[in-house]
Amino acid sequence: MRGSFDIKKWIENPDELLLIAGPCSVESREQFFDVAMKLSELRRVNILRGGIWKPRTRPNGFEGIGEEGLKWMKETSQVTGLPVMTEVATPEHVELALKHNIDALWIGARTVANPFSMQQLADSLYNCDIPVFVKNPIAPDIKLWLGAFERLASSGLKHLVAIHRGFQDINSSPYRNNPRWEIPIELHRQRTDIPIITDISHICGCRNLLQATAQKALDLATNGLMIESHCHPEIALTDAEQQIKPCDLERMLSGLTIHKSKSNDVDLLLHEFRSQIDGIDDEILQLLAKRSEISSQIGDIKRENNLAVLQLDRWNAILSNHITRGKMLGLKEELVKEIFEAIHKDSIDRQL
């Protein structure tokens, strides 16, 4: 039996990569125990996960084992020495999880999307000293995600972690949920006190994308990974396509490049480059301000001479030239297009 991992200490100082693994659903005592033992033998997993309540998009399927599964999880925790965590969506779930001394909780994407549900959970967790992991809402709305943390913090919870699990998007292919990496990056910018882990299973939706997505998450300085694992994923009762066998998880982890959170050897070099970027960014801002001033003057001339604000032919030609020039400079077309469309919109707004 391993020494128990201290989740709270990790949240306070998340220098080491956190690895959470376990089945999507706790299906039986034997199923959870078997996968937990194999994951424990890897000696790389820090927390065991398992879904107890699994309401599906459509009814009449397996919707979770219920309270009995909490007992099995805790029994397994005592054998492996690994803490266990599960998802809660209602105050009743919270009450039962606390009753059975579950070590940590997570709140799912659909729940986070509903401020009423989040407030009920925050109230039920009032002054509870338990780590709570919060998945991003289904929609790419960072305010909902931030609001969930604010509600929980207002109820006295101090050990909070974000889980990036991707967003529903018509353009999510090949993923089950579009990663939209810029959103967790922005969350981290606004809340540097909250560690972020990446649920690669729910982003991918299939096993063959897991390794590449895990590496992408690590390259973007995530603090940990959540991965669904099952000894027999082909017969799993929920999310069979995205679960991975413990032996395959071990191979996947061995193939990942895990970056150091800090490196004194390169700090000075990074500081020099970042200083250069800061200077360039300041120049960009000054040029944008100057450009906006000229756009306002053009707007004055158009109004005085009763000219239309939008000159569509000219704008299309300008954008095409910028994209061509950008490619010559090694810039992606999408980046150039997005930047100049935003600049053009600002010009139009100033001329109206």
Side-chain angles (χ1 to χ4, degrees), residues 31-46:
Q31 171 254 7
F32 187 74
F33 184 81
D34 287 347
V35 70
M37 290 302 297
K38 287 182 171 59
L39 291 173
S40 176
E41 290 167 3
L42 301 183
R43 306 195 69 80
R44 300 185 70 171
V45 174
N46 306 111

Side-chain angles (χ1 to χ4, degrees), residues 6-153:
D6 193 324
I7 304 173
K8 294 175 186 174
K9 283 187 178 179
W10 179 86
I11 294 173
E12 293 166 0
N13 187 27
D15 280 345
E16 298 298 322
L17 185 75
L18 180 72
L19 183 59
I20 301 171
C24 174
S25 297
V26 176
E27 300 168 1
S28 68
R29 184 179 184 277
E30 293 72 23
Q31 171 254 7
F32 187 74
F33 184 81
D34 287 347
V35 70
M37 290 302 297
K38 287 182 171 59
L39 291 173
S40 176
E41 290 167 3
L42 301 183
R43 306 195 69 80
R44 300 185 70 171
V45 174
N46 306 111
I47 305 173
L48 296 170
R49 57 146 289 152
I52 294 295
W53 299 281
K54 300 294 296 185
R56 314 308 295 157
T57 301
R58 300 180 69 179
N60 303 319
F62 176 73
E63 294 196 328
I65 204 72
E67 182 181 0
E68 186 72 12
L70 297 173
K71 300 177 185 177
W72 304 335
M73 293 185 75
K74 204 58 188 177
E75 288 173 5
T76 303
S77 174
Q78 292 167 354
V79 174
T80 62
L82 292 172
V84 290
M85 66 186 301
T86 196
E87 179 180 355
V88 292
T90 69
E92 180 187 10
H93 293 169
V94 170
E95 180 182 355
L96 291 172
L98 295 177
K99 170 186 171 184
H100 290 281
N101 297 311
I102 298 300
D103 300 289
L105 308 174
W106 84 78
I107 301 174
R110 289 177 174 82
T111 307
V112 176
N114 187 332
F116 292 104
S117 296
M118 274 308 310
Q119 190 58 55
Q120 289 176 344
L121 288 179
D123 292 342
S124 66
L125 285 162
Y126 183 76
N127 276 345
C128 287
D129 187 24
I130 186 170
V132 177
F133 292 62
V134 182
K135 290 196 174 186
N136 61 258
I138 295 174
D141 186 343
I142 194 171
K143 291 182 180 179
L144 277 175
W145 205 2
L146 287 166
F149 289 110
E150 290 163 358
R151 292 177 191 278
L152 294 169

